[in-house]
Amino acid sequence: MVGATRTVAVYSLGGTIAMTADPVTGGVVPALSAHDLLAAIPGLDERGIELRVRDFRRVPGASLTFDDLTELGGAIDKTLDGGDADGIVITQGTDTIEETAFFLDLRHGHDQPVVVTGAMRNPTMAGPDGPANLYAAVIAAADPRLRGAGALVVLNDEVHAARHVRKAHTTSPAAFTSPGAGPIGRVTEDLVRLVSPPPRRLGVLKPPSREVRVGLYTVSLGDDGTLLAMWDGRCDGLVVAAFGVGHVPQRLVETLEHLASRIPVVLASRIGNGPVLTGTYGFPGSEKDLIGRGLIPASDLGPYQARLLLHALLAQESDRKTIVETFTALSN
């Protein structure tokens, strides 16, 4: 591109943003390439940004795997190690955007931002939001104000940090929020306008050296612990999405204590907004009681992010002391 001043590498993974109607089933499926997506955006070629495009996957967001994201992280590192881009944009299905962003943020050791985006309305619908979201994501990825911010999510002209972002609605174009923190910025008139600094990031984790399985168990009213006990011997680590600030029914306490003596068990809240406490309530099944029995508090990480962090730590063969220290650092 003549006159280009910034370079952004775009990796397409598929998802709603890349879907068109299947003539056989009548439903929409991933079919559009990254070039197709970019061609649908008016005015982007006038922004002085050179785009380097790669079709990396073409799958629904729900079908992405750890292997897919590990390979994607390696491809991003290779691009950035070569000094070939000022930022990265990833397009994918919104089902797993918050998890992709956090997964990549844990392993991203470069200053250039990694911006994940997608669409809530597919291209066959009236008012598809994919072109606007991709436009804003490219603008954000090219903006030097986001250097050092790690992985971000950009939709609906809002910039969210990977640590806090959640998908909070099944269909709304404004589905992505950052409970308790809010977006760190907005894209307005082709500029990123920061409203708060990005949160402090964890240290960059090493690539996985072994395969692990980390479970996620959500506590619910009337839970008798039978299904919880079935995790014993079937996972390398477990995240418990507990009530409120970190509470479970008393009948689950012995099972959790047994599990925590065998594997790391992280205590998160199923609320998804606010921290797990560590020393307020003292009844059997309270957060203080469970931590005393060996559970590891997740601070303000939601259960999905807590699972990804525990998975990453176990996959690089971290010992219990390192795992406890890493989760404890989230509160500092």
Side-chain angles (χ1 to χ4, degrees):
M1 178 185 297
V2 177
T5 59
R6 309 288 288 174
T7 300
V8 171
V10 180
Y11 292 83
S12 174
L13 305 184
T16 295
I17 192 171
M19 291 190 179
T20 56
D22 185 327
V24 177
T25 67
V28 292
V29 297
L32 301 177
S33 70
H35 290 281
D36 294 330
L37 299 179
L38 292 165
I41 304 176
L44 186 58
D45 58 352
E46 302 170 4
R47 297 278 71 82
I49 301 172
E50 179 181 353
L51 300 175
R52 299 184 178 178
V53 183
R54 180 176 175 185
D55 279 315
F56 193 80
R57 295 287 189 274
R58 206 172 289 184
V59 298
S63 293
L64 289 170
T65 67
F66 284 125
D67 288 342
D68 289 329
L69 298 183
T70 298
E71 187 178 337
L72 174 62
I76 290 171
D77 285 342
K78 185 176 180 180
T79 295
L80 297 181
D81 286 342
D84 293 334
D86 297 293
I88 303 291
V89 168
I90 298 164
T91 64
Q92 70 157 85
T94 59
D95 284 348
T96 52
I97 274 184
E98 65 186 89
E99 289 168 277
T100 292
F102 191 73
F103 181 100
L104 294 173
D105 192 61
L106 292 175
R107 295 162 174 82
H108 185 56
H110 294 82
D111 286 335
Q112 296 95 323
V114 173
V115 179
V116 190
T117 192
M120 296 299 296
R121 293 173 176 163
N122 72 74
T124 70
M125 299 175 70
D129 56 330
N133 290 338
L134 182 50
Y135 183 99
V138 170
I139 295 297
D143 197 310
R145 277 166 287 216
L146 291 177
R147 285 183 67 84
L152 306 159
V153 170
V154 172
L155 282 93
N156 200 38
D157 288 337
E158 295 182 337
V159 183
H160 296 270
R163 166 134 178 213
H164 297 301
V165 70
R166 307 283 190 273
K167 186 176 182 180
H169 197 279
T170 57
T171 61
S172 171
F176 286 84
T177 63
S178 291
I184 65 168
R186 293 178 173 82
V187 179
T188 307
E189 294 184 328
D190 299 330
L191 293 173
V192 173
R193 303 179 187 273
L194 293 175
V195 296
S196 63
R200 181 177 59 85
R201 298 173 60 212
L202 295 169
V204 178
L205 300 184
K206 300 175 184 176
S209 58
R210 69 184 183 110
E211 291 187 4
V212 296
R213 175 179 286 116
V214 175
L216 174 58
Y217 182 83
T218 302
V219 178
S220 55
L221 181 68
D223 194 335
D224 64 4
T226 300
L227 297 177
L228 176 63
M230 294 177 66
W231 281 107
D232 192 11
R234 291 178 170 85
C235 59
D236 302 286
L238 181 66
V239 172
V240 176
F243 295 124
V245 297
H247 299 164
V248 304
Q250 183 173 347
R251 68 187 76 181
L252 271 61
V253 168
E254 289 187 9
T255 301
L256 286 171
E257 183 174 19
H258 170 73
L259 287 168
S261 70
R262 296 165 59 87
I263 58 173
V265 179
V266 172
L267 180 65
S269 172
R270 69 179 199 172
I271 303 300
N273 186 5
V276 166
L277 297 182
T278 58
T280 299
Y281 295 89
F283 57 84
S286 68
E287 83 288 345
K288 188 175 181 179
D289 175 59
L290 294 172
I291 293 168
R293 296 175 188 269
L295 274 70
I296 303 166
S299 185
D300 64 348
L301 284 189
Y304 305 127
Q305 283 86 354
R307 173 178 171 265
L308 290 172
L309 177 55
L310 181 57
H311 187 280
L313 290 167
L314 290 172
Q316 66 173 28
E317 303 188 84
S318 299
D319 57 19
R320 179 179 173 83
K321 180 174 180 291
T322 300
I323 293 171
V324 172
E325 289 175 347
T326 301
F327 275 95
T328 300
L330 295 168
S331 302
N332 299 329

